[in-house]
């Protein structure tokens, strides 16, 4: 019992002050040594005069108070008990510290992921509002539909993009609304081809992981082209594996820009790193066609 009390004293009074450092730790260590010697002496006195003499009436042979062997046995018991308790406390503190660090890293990654998901290209928003304004001046029948699609896209970005996962069909609906709004700018000089083959529209996918690739195709394709251009996208879901490819034409004088500025690709790659353990992202550039191919095992969702 005295060993246990002394162990608690070391763990919760001595050890915290020793960890702080400074001159005060030497005083607390000296205090701990004095208390240790006093406790050992007290144990010997209790055993000699009470346990052996009064309780067992001298049935067991006793030794002198300060016999070296008895002193070392009691000292070992104190040290072993205290050392074990300090070791347990230190291990627990290390585990708590690692858990806190892990939580901090997780919170940082979640914040970064939310930021990536919430990014809406300001140029897209500005151009779309200009296009809608132009439609309204012409009193076009497309104006209400364009306003509704933009409203749904902004609502999704603000309120749904923060979810861990959504249904694939919801992601595709937002992508199609985005494409419809972008096409308002280009009329007939842009050919957009979209193909899809989905075996499970309700399969979960992290939000807005494909949209940056679509943005990239418009930005470096039709957005920088003076002539006719095209964007061709294919998406297929089979047994939880998503296959997505997109290709866009670009002019020769935009080749260096395409190689240098790939914000959408960086956005997608970073989201993939944070959300899926199994994926492949391949980039190709041949003649005047830039293409991206993405394969994701949607069942491997989880922070990598």
């Amino acid at each position: 019992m005295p060993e246990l009390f002394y162990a608690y004293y070391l763990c919760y009074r001595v050890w915290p002050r020793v960890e702080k450092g400074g001159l005060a730790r030497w005083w607390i260590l000296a205090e701990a040594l004095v208390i240790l010697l006093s406790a050992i002496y007290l144990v010997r006195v209790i055993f000699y005069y009470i346990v052996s003499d009064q309780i067992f009436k001298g049935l067991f042979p006793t030794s002198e108070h300060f016999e070296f062997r008895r002193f070392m046995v009691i000292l070992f018991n104190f040290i072993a008990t205290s050392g074990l308790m300090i070791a347990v406390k230190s291990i627990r503190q290390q585990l708590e510290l690692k858990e806190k660090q892990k939580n901090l890293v997780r919170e940082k990654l979640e914040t970064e992921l939310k930021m990536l998901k919430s990014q809406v290209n300001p140029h897209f928003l500005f151009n779309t509002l200009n296009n809608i304004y132009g439609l309204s001046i012409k009193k076009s029948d497309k104006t209400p539909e364009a306003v509704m699609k933009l409203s749904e896209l902004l609502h999704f970005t603000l309120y749904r993009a923060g979810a861990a996962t959504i249904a694939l069909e919801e992601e595709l609906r937002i992508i199609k609304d985005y494409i419809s709004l972008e096409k308002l700018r280009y009329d007939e000089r842009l050919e957009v081809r979209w193909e899809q083959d989905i075996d499970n529209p309700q399969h979960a996918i992290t939000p807005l992981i494909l949209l940056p690739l679509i943005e990239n195709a418009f930005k470096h394709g039709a957005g920088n082209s003076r002539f006719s251009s095209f964007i061709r996208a294919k998406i297929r879901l089979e047994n939880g594996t998503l296959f997505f490819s997109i290709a866009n034409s670009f002019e020769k004088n935009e080749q260096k820009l395409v190689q240098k500025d790939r914000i959408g690709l960086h956005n997608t790659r970073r989201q993939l790193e944070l959300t899926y353990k199994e994926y492949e992202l391949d980039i190709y550039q041949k003649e005047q066609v830039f293409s991206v191919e993405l394969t994701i095992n949607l069942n491997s969702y989880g922070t990598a």
Side-chain angles (χ1 to χ4, degrees), residues 194-247:
W194 176 272
E195 299 178 17
Q196 71 179 55
D197 181 14
I198 307 298
D199 65 0
N200 181 11
Q202 295 299 317
H203 203 295
I205 186 172
T206 187
L208 298 182
I209 201 164
L210 302 177
L211 188 60
L213 300 180
I214 309 292
E215 286 183 296
N216 194 73
F218 277 99
K219 180 179 180 180
H220 297 302
N224 291 313
S225 176
R226 296 163 295 174
F227 309 104
S228 296
S229 56
F230 68 83
I231 294 176
R232 296 166 185 164
K234 296 180 181 179
I235 186 167
R236 179 165 58 91
L237 179 66
E238 183 178 351
N239 298 325
T241 301
L242 182 74
F243 304 92
F244 178 75
S245 65
I246 186 167

Side-chain angles (χ1 to χ4, degrees), residues 145 149 175-185:
E145 181 182 358
K149 289 183 182 297
I175 289 175
K176 291 175 182 178
D177 285 347
Y178 177 86
I179 292 174
S180 297
L181 290 171
E182 282 281 27
K183 287 174 66 177
L184 292 175
R185 299 169 54 188

Side-chain angles (χ1 to χ4, degrees), residues 190-193 212-225 228-234 245-251 254-255 257-259 261-262 265 283-293:
L190 173 63
E191 175 199 352
V192 179
R193 184 184 303 170
L213 300 180
I214 309 292
E215 286 183 296
N216 194 73
F218 277 99
K219 180 179 180 180
H220 297 302
N224 291 313
S225 176
S228 296
S229 56
F230 68 83
I231 294 176
R232 296 166 185 164
K234 296 180 181 179
S245 65
I246 186 167
N248 64 271
S249 58
F250 65 92
E251 295 186 21
E254 297 295 332
Q255 182 169 354
L257 180 62
V258 172
Q259 292 175 338
D261 187 5
R262 293 176 178 172
L265 297 177
I283 301 169
Y284 304 97
Q285 186 172 317
K286 186 177 181 181
E287 296 178 352
Q288 291 175 252
V289 177
F290 183 81
S291 60
V292 178
E293 294 183 359

Side-chain angles (χ1 to χ4, degrees), residues 60-298:
F60 299 100
T62 59
S63 56
E64 296 297 329
H65 293 2
F66 298 103
E67 184 185 15
F68 180 76
R69 186 174 64 86
R70 297 289 184 182
F71 175 85
M72 293 304 296
V73 169
I74 298 174
L75 178 62
F76 174 79
N77 289 338
F78 272 87
I79 292 175
T81 304
S82 301
L84 179 61
M85 185 167 291
I86 290 174
V88 170
K89 183 182 178 183
S90 298
I91 292 173
R92 188 177 65 183
Q93 287 178 335
Q94 290 296 322
L95 292 175
E96 290 175 352
L97 179 60
K98 287 183 178 180
E99 186 64 25
K100 288 181 180 179
Q101 291 174 342
K102 187 186 298 183
N103 289 335
L104 287 174
V105 172
R106 185 184 299 114
E107 289 173 3
K108 180 180 177 181
L109 294 178
E110 288 176 353
T111 301
E112 181 183 357
L113 184 58
K114 288 179 181 178
M115 181 190 69
L116 291 170
K117 289 179 180 180
S118 65
Q119 289 178 354
V120 174
N121 192 323
H123 297 290
F124 158 75
L125 182 58
F126 178 76
N127 289 329
T128 301
L129 289 173
N130 273 344
N131 293 330
I132 293 175
Y133 176 71
L135 291 174
S136 65
I137 290 178
K138 297 176 183 179
K139 301 186 184 300
S140 172
D141 294 337
K142 295 181 180 179
T143 305
E145 181 182 358
V147 172
M148 182 59 67
K149 289 183 182 297
L150 179 60
S151 175
E152 290 178 354
L153 180 60
L154 293 177
H155 182 274
F156 179 87
T157 303
L158 290 172
Y159 300 107
R160 293 290 293 135
T165 59
I166 60 173
L168 179 58
E169 64 176 356
E170 189 175 358
E171 175 82 358
L172 295 181
R173 184 171 64 251
I174 293 301
I175 289 175
K176 291 175 182 178
D177 285 347
Y178 177 86
I179 292 174
S180 297
L181 290 171
E182 282 281 27
K183 287 174 66 177
L184 292 175
R185 299 169 54 188
Y186 306 108
D187 297 323
E188 300 300 325
R189 71 182 179 89
L190 173 63
E191 175 199 352
V192 179
R193 184 184 303 170
W194 176 272
E195 299 178 17
Q196 71 179 55
D197 181 14
I198 307 298
D199 65 0
N200 181 11
Q202 295 299 317
H203 203 295
I205 186 172
T206 187
L208 298 182
I209 201 164
L210 302 177
L211 188 60
L213 300 180
I214 309 292
E215 286 183 296
N216 194 73
F218 277 99
K219 180 179 180 180
H220 297 302
N224 291 313
S225 176
R226 296 163 295 174
F227 309 104
S228 296
S229 56
F230 68 83
I231 294 176
R232 296 166 185 164
K234 296 180 181 179
I235 186 167
R236 179 165 58 91
L237 179 66
E238 183 178 351
N239 298 325
T241 301
L242 182 74
F243 304 92
F244 178 75
S245 65
I246 186 167
N248 64 271
S249 58
F250 65 92
E251 295 186 21
K252 289 184 178 180
N253 59 355
E254 297 295 332
Q255 182 169 354
K256 292 183 179 179
L257 180 62
V258 172
Q259 292 175 338
K260 181 180 178 181
D261 187 5
R262 293 176 178 172
I263 297 176
L265 297 177
H266 172 76
N267 189 322
T268 297
R269 191 183 298 277
R270 186 57 181 152
Q271 286 195 63
L272 288 168
E273 290 174 355
L274 295 174
T275 51
Y276 291 102
K277 298 178 182 179
E278 298 178 20
Y279 69 90
E280 290 183 11
L281 181 63
D282 299 313
I283 301 169
Y284 304 97
Q285 186 172 317
K286 186 177 181 181
E287 296 178 352
Q288 291 175 252
V289 177
F290 183 81
S291 60
V292 178
E293 294 183 359
L294 174 62
T295 303
I296 310 174
N297 179 3
L298 298 181

